[in-house]
Amino acid sequence: MGINRRNFLKGSTAFAVSASVVGCSNDDNDPIKLAEKPIVEPTTITPPVKEKVDKTVFHTTCPRNCGDRCSLMVTVENDVATSITGLDTHPITAGTPCVKGHAYLQSVYSPDRIKTPMKRVGPKGPGAKFEPITWDEANKAIAAGLKEAIAKSKNGGNGVLQYSYSGYNGVGAGIGANRFFNKIGSRLLERNICASAGYAGMSSVLGTFDGPSPEDYANTKCFVSWGTNEQATNIHQLKIINKARDNGAKILVVNPARTPLASQADVWLRPRPGTDATLVIGIAKCIIEQGLEDKDFIKQNTQDYDAYLARLAEFTHEQIEKATDVKKTDYQEFAQLYANAECSIMRIGYGMQRNLNGGRMVRAIPTLAAITGNIGKKGAGVVYLNTQAGGLMDWGYIGAGNLTPKDAVRDTVSMNELGKNLLPIDYVHPDGKTKGPLSKGKPSEPINAVIIYQSNPMVIAPNTELVRKGLERDDIFLVGIDLFQTDTMDYVDYLLPTSSFIEQENIADSYHGYFCNHSSKAIEYLHDSKPDIEIFQGLGRAMGFSDPEFSESINDIMKKAWKGNISYDELVKKHYDQPKVEYPFLSSLKFNTPSGKIEFKDVSNKHFDSTLFNPVIDTGTPETDDVDHKGMTDAEKGRAFRLLSPAHPKKNNSQWANVKYIEGTYPSHSVYINPADSSKLGVQDGDKVEMTATRYNNEKVSIQYDVIISEMSAPGSVFVWKNAWRKLNENGSSTAVNMLTNNELSDMNSNSTFMSTRVDIKAL
């Protein structure tokens, strides 16, 4: 299916118009059907009454998992933060945080924050009870538990797992933890739940997954949003896209969901999920058939173009239309606008590569830039994830790898297989012979202890029923560090209160814009909380570690870690620094590939197995491939609907789900069904349905959700907003979407495969 701008209004639905391209909508006018629970107005924070009000404004940086990394200004009156706004002079933030940023004080001053260290005094799981203890008591008890776990492990610290991700990013997020886990020689965690398949797919063609700055969008004459929902992720790029449109740029969108930008695009292509690589072949064929390719660029800067042409020749347009559900006339119009533009820039999202074939789909997309010469010039290129700003910090010093014992045996596990890694030793796997924990298909040493921080795996990890089985083990020692008692924290033995981002100093690098921001401490630690750095330093001292790394001050650590273009003192005053990156990006046309050129064919086996997948463009999908080729099982393929779980603009993964300004203002436990499918199922708005998936070991899992009928979801697909808390399910069923999602690994770089999930739906 393809929709051009002339007819997009036909069948337009709520989501389609919920955010305008004109700027950073905070969703106030979002007409998506709201849950029945009323909006709770934010609490008014009243500073203590004084004859004189001491008022100070501090610069801070949002450390959440968003590439915008907003520069925020926190106003503090009599030691109480009273407002948060954006830094006017920051090119990306430009004075306006997103709706979540506006709700920050609701989180900081929430009455639900964990206020003191606590010890569990009853059963694990929902409704778990805890009692307060002191920090000294907590550190001694946790040190004793870790020492016991290490002692009973075959390889000492390898029996202890660190589990964290992006609850808090930047230098402050990892210093204390990395040093602590290196010191004990713990098991290593592959933090590849987000974008790693795309890293490999992009790098296999261009030699990098970095791209142009979003500030360069304003210079393009054609902007392509491929698999991205700008309203929910990096919302500030919308205003830059709008600048491009004001300057005459065309807006093209490829997405199976009807995102706001899709409904405002000049052309919107809506491929069947998982068929993006085949769609690329169709677009490329149109470009070449009409002579729109850049022959000189191809000749000078690419490798194996003949193999690329041969691969395109294997497909007819009829085959492409049938596979993708997109008409040739639509992807031909897309091809013409993209190739005829003076310069075209493309942004690839992360959701689409969370598939069993995710790396292969991403790998195909930048070949369109290669055949049209849209690389290395102003307003052109491919944007995936920008890590350039991270080079302004000394990560080796931050992690202190020198603390690792020389004889340490440290296995590595994928966070996407947490459930398999934590399984009890008597768990029997599908072959009927293998028992116990697995890592990438092989038996692994049991994990005897886990410290969970900056994450909520009972909500964000795939196949959470397997995760639950592991966390419920009687023989595993669990420690949690968080602001709130999340679904995961209900399972830990000891619960430690961390401080919010405005209570501690930090340096955070963006992964979208080219910015590295300083974040000041605006208020004192609330309650009996501590920053993660101090928490892990205290645990280290309780373990008997006397290394100087466990006594450095936060300020000293930040100064030593900083390697920017300006001094640390200047960074604090200016608030941000930028790396020196060639502009236009890749203008040197030197590529970090084996040939030094753009590679249409990859047989290096560095990024994927070229004996399993076509080394040019592989068009296999989870529904068409067999299991060995990263396809679904037969039981999964037999289910009726592809389940997608995208991000919602009012949440960041599972964060903000419990914030009163946010909670209840969007349908967090509902399933969106296309009208064509709802009529076949015999369901209407508000009906309850049961969704069933087949998970690891052919186990069936079902959850009940309310129905929303909407064109936002394509026929044959349904979706649920990702990572809602189980305990906040208004139906009281303590269920969430990741109970259904796939926890197999992707074709490249062990990425998550949430989107390769199929479900049956039954009306109740």
Side-chain angles (χ1 to χ4, degrees), residues 217-400:
Y217 297 177
N219 300 315
T220 194
K221 295 304 178 184
C222 179
F223 180 84
V224 180
S225 170
W226 199 305
T228 301
N229 179 10
E230 291 77 8
Q231 183 199 24
T233 57
N234 305 138
I235 192 171
H236 291 84
Q237 65 188 304
L238 284 171
K239 66 177 182 290
I240 311 176
I241 296 170
N242 190 57
K243 289 181 181 179
R245 172 171 276 173
D246 287 345
N247 292 330
K250 299 295 183 180
I251 308 297
L252 313 180
V253 172
V254 182
N255 206 310
R258 191 183 188 111
T259 66
L261 195 62
S263 287
Q264 300 174 45
D266 294 282
V267 175
W268 168 34
L269 304 183
R270 192 176 207 178
R272 181 183 301 163
T275 64
D276 296 67
T278 303
L279 180 59
V280 168
I281 288 177
I283 295 169
K285 284 176 70 72
C286 289
I287 290 171
I288 292 167
E289 287 166 359
Q290 297 177 64
L292 300 177
E293 74 274 31
D294 188 331
K295 295 183 176 64
D296 289 339
F297 183 91
I298 294 169
K299 182 178 180 180
Q300 295 172 18
N301 301 295
T302 71
Q303 180 90 352
D304 290 317
Y305 182 58
D306 55 342
Y308 188 75
L309 292 175
R311 181 60 172 155
L312 301 185
E314 295 177 24
F315 294 81
T316 66
H317 287 294
E318 291 75 17
Q319 290 173 320
I320 294 166
E321 287 183 325
K322 183 177 180 180
T324 64
D325 286 340
V326 180
K327 294 180 181 179
K328 178 190 175 183
T329 52
D330 292 322
Y331 65 73
Q332 185 174 49
E333 182 180 6
F334 181 105
Q336 290 169 341
L337 291 174
Y338 178 73
N340 280 322
E342 178 185 346
C343 53
S344 297
I345 203 163
M346 185 181 295
R347 173 77 196 276
I348 303 175
Y350 310 140
M352 61 169 290
Q353 53 89 59
R354 293 169 193 156
N355 269 291
L356 289 163
N357 63 331
R360 285 170 281 166
M361 287 193 289
V362 172
R363 171 177 161 72
I365 297 170
T367 65
L368 296 176
I371 65 173
T372 56
N374 274 301
I375 294 174
K377 62 183 182 181
K378 185 177 179 180
V382 184
V383 181
Y384 184 65
L385 189 145
N386 291 333
T387 60
Q388 294 95 328
L392 300 180
M393 291 177 284
D394 186 346
W395 295 102
Y397 160 73
I398 292 168

Side-chain angles (χ1 to χ4, degrees), residues 600-614:
F600 288 111
K601 181 178 181 180
D602 186 346
V603 292
S604 68
N605 289 319
K606 177 181 178 182
H607 302 289
F608 62 97
D609 188 343
S610 60
T611 65
L612 289 178
F613 308 119
N614 189 292

Side-chain angles (χ1 to χ4, degrees), residues 550-569:
F550 293 96
S551 60
E552 286 185 283
S553 72
I554 295 176
N555 186 258
D556 285 345
I557 291 171
M558 298 293 174
K559 287 182 177 180
K560 292 178 183 177
W562 180 245
K563 301 295 179 184
N565 302 306
I566 57 179
S567 71
Y568 184 77
D569 290 341

Side-chain angles (χ1 to χ4, degrees), residues 508-629:
D509 55 313
S510 171
Y511 58 85
H512 187 220
Y514 294 171
F515 294 93
C516 199
N517 298 346
H518 179 264
S519 188
S520 297
K521 178 179 178 179
I523 61 174
E524 294 301 318
Y525 309 155
L526 292 179
H527 315 299
D528 201 10
S529 68
K530 295 182 179 182
D532 283 11
I533 295 175
E534 293 187 12
I535 290 174
F536 281 104
Q537 286 181 336
L539 288 177
R541 291 191 293 269
M543 293 284 289
F545 304 155
S546 59
D547 310 83
E549 285 85 354
F550 293 96
S551 60
E552 286 185 283
S553 72
I554 295 176
N555 186 258
D556 285 345
I557 291 171
M558 298 293 174
K559 287 182 177 180
K560 292 178 183 177
W562 180 245
K563 301 295 179 184
N565 302 306
I566 57 179
S567 71
Y568 184 77
D569 290 341
E570 289 175 302
L571 174 69
V572 173
K573 292 178 182 178
K574 184 183 176 182
H575 307 316
Y576 59 85
D577 190 16
Q578 292 182 269
K580 296 178 181 178
V581 181
E582 64 176 332
Y583 179 80
F585 184 71
L586 287 180
S587 57
S588 65
L589 297 177
K590 295 179 180 177
F591 303 92
N592 188 28
T593 58
S595 66
K597 297 184 176 183
I598 300 170
E599 297 194 341
F600 288 111
K601 181 178 181 180
D602 186 346
V603 292
S604 68
N605 289 319
K606 177 181 178 182
H607 302 289
F608 62 97
D609 188 343
S610 60
T611 65
L612 289 178
F613 308 119
N614 189 292
V616 181
I617 295 181
D618 190 282
T619 57
T621 72
E623 287 87 357
T624 61
D625 283 339
D626 57 43
V627 172
D628 290 339
H629 288 73

Side-chain angles (χ1 to χ4, degrees), residues 705-759:
Y705 272 7
D706 296 329
V707 171
I708 294 177
I709 309 300
S710 174
E711 289 279 359
M712 194 173 152
S713 181
S717 299
V718 297
F719 79 77
V720 174
W721 300 118
K722 71 176 182 177
N723 298 343
W725 288 20
R726 293 165 62 121
K727 66 171 65 178
L728 296 180
N729 189 331
E730 55 269 22
N731 298 315
S733 58
S734 191
T735 60
V737 67
N738 279 334
M739 294 173 67
L740 303 178
T741 53
N742 198 330
N743 71 331
E744 300 303 311
L745 303 180
S746 66
D747 51 356
M748 300 184 194
N749 216 6
S750 302
N751 201 79
S752 60
T753 56
F754 294 104
M755 306 299 183
S756 291
T757 298
R758 295 196 70 86
V759 297

